[in-house]
Amino acid sequence: MTDAAVGDDVVVRAFIGSFTSAGGRGVTAAAVDRATGALTVLGSTAEVPDPSYLALGHGPGPGGRTLYAVSETEHGAVAALDVSGDAPRLLGGLRPVEGSGPTHLALAVGHLLTANYGSGSVSVLPVRVDGTPGPAASVLTHTGSGPDPDRQQSPHAHQVLPDPSGNWVLAVDLGTDSVRICALDPATGELRVHAETPLRPGTGPRHLAFHPAGGHAYVLNELAPTVTVCRWNAAAGALEPVGETSVLPDGARDGDTRTYPSEVVVAHDGRFLWTANRGDDTLSVLALDATGERATLVTTVDCGGHWPRDLALDPTGRRLYAANERSGDVSWFDIDPATGIPRHAGSLDAPAASCVIFA
């Protein structure tokens, strides 16, 4: 596996989001031991209620080196945090997103975008000069439903992210079994649907990740433990499903415990893909062929805890980190460079952990 370029003089930090309503610390900053991958808590803040997902700004412009968090509450909000010290510090107050239950956020062309699960919408907030988000410039409300009577009676936007070209924004909707490809106007913050790609009914797409070459995307389905492989045409803004692969072995799929996959991660060199699976409490290893178009399940390993809500690759590409919500820990794994199989190497106590990202 190819390592990302991380200089020896760079201090690597991790940021952990957690549910304060379930006893979590809120947003936690941790130092990362470069040799072992071990995490050491530096400080935390509970000023943001239920900061279930985080995103880090980069660069010298507005929002550079600022940490952003959703507040996954009925009256959803986002927050900006200063992470220059050991403990994250809230900048300004909470900013409403004009949507309920935001579960994911991302930065794109000077704006902060949130996927609002409860209201089935995507909000766009401009990032101001001081890095804090301004009032929502636009809210794109999804329409549609799916066949699952409990989970798909209405839209449920679960993830929003820019594509590798930076020309498009993709919104993954669990409730409508589809991915919307949108154009974002950098001047006004208006988000407009360019195309909508339907997936197999009842799969409940949750998150997607791009191949490093940029020509494929992998959609992880929450209501069916599968990954849908798609071709991605950035020039046309077109997403085309070409295959679907289970993330569980046949025996596990036939068990009594229902599995709800949560996150998908692709290796820096494009050889492997990993998923986190709640219920089954495993991490799946899938091998990708040279084209990126064929995914084959290699094996599954224990996630190191219970209910892995998030999975992240460290900047070197050598380790995976699982945020195990119900066991209250973040576990890290050394990745075998030949097989892609993770080996559990340690854990950090992190009550109600929901997300982990790296600076």
Side-chain angles (χ1 to χ4, degrees):
M1 297 176 65
T2 302
D3 292 347
V6 180
D8 291 338
D9 58 340
V10 175
V11 177
V12 178
R13 286 193 178 188
F15 299 101
I16 302 165
S18 62
F19 287 100
T20 56
S21 61
R25 302 185 186 108
V27 180
T28 298
V32 183
D33 186 299
R34 295 286 299 280
T36 67
L39 302 179
T40 302
V41 171
L42 298 172
S44 61
T45 178
E47 293 180 284
V48 182
D50 289 345
S52 64
Y53 204 86
L54 310 173
L56 190 67
H58 296 279
R65 312 309 298 173
T66 300
L67 185 69
Y68 297 93
V70 297
S71 178
E72 190 178 337
T73 56
E74 181 180 356
H75 303 291
V78 289
L81 299 107
D82 178 357
V83 290
S84 58
D86 284 347
R89 181 177 61 84
L90 185 64
L91 295 173
L94 299 179
R95 175 67 69 181
V97 299
E98 311 301 337
S100 66
T103 59
H104 190 268
L105 78 170
L107 292 154
V109 292
H111 291 82
L112 187 65
L113 295 87
T114 67
N116 309 316
Y117 182 88
S119 54
S121 60
V122 175
S123 299
V124 182
L125 298 87
V127 176
R128 301 188 294 197
V129 174
D130 63 358
T132 61
S138 68
V139 178
L140 176 66
T141 301
H142 295 177
T143 59
S145 60
D148 189 309
D150 297 322
R151 300 290 304 279
Q152 295 185 311
Q153 290 186 347
S154 62
H156 292 299
H158 216 305
Q159 184 196 36
V160 59
L161 76 165
D163 85 307
S165 76
N167 294 325
W168 306 99
V169 169
L170 282 74
V172 183
D173 195 301
L174 184 150
T176 63
D177 290 319
S178 63
V179 178
R180 288 167 177 81
I181 298 96
C182 303
L184 175 61
D185 187 324
T188 66
E190 180 186 5
L191 195 64
R192 177 182 57 82
V193 176
H194 164 74
E196 183 175 356
T197 299
L199 302 179
R200 183 168 64 84
T203 52
R206 177 183 172 97
H207 278 196
L208 71 76
F210 285 97
H211 190 279
H216 291 85
Y218 309 94
V219 183
L220 182 64
N221 301 305
E222 178 172 336
L223 302 184
T226 61
V227 167
T228 302
V229 179
C230 301
R231 293 179 188 141
W232 171 243
N233 183 335
L239 187 71
E240 178 191 0
V242 293
E244 189 176 338
T245 302
S246 175
V247 300
L248 298 179
D250 289 342
R253 291 203 307 270
D254 297 334
D256 294 332
T257 300
R258 186 167 180 183
T259 295
Y260 302 92
S262 61
E263 185 60 291
V264 55
V265 175
V266 181
H268 293 159
D269 60 10
R271 293 172 54 213
F272 301 105
L273 176 154
W274 301 277
T275 73
N277 311 309
R278 297 165 299 175
D280 188 62
D281 287 344
T282 59
L283 308 182
S284 298
V285 185
L286 289 84
L288 299 174
D289 71 358
T291 69
E293 194 154 303
R294 181 176 174 81
T296 303
L297 180 65
V298 175
T299 191
T300 61
V301 300
D302 189 276
C303 71
H306 179 33
W307 210 252
R309 184 181 174 90
D310 190 37
L311 186 65
L313 194 62
D314 81 333
T316 70
R318 295 194 296 257
R319 295 186 183 92
L320 283 167
Y321 290 73
N324 295 313
E325 181 184 349
R326 295 184 181 174
S327 55
D329 64 85
V330 173
S331 293
W332 55 91
F333 301 78
D334 295 327
I335 302 168
D336 185 305
T339 65
I341 298 174
R343 179 183 59 83
H344 187 261
S347 296
L348 171 74
D349 177 63
S354 57
C355 171
V356 57
I357 64 170
F358 292 90

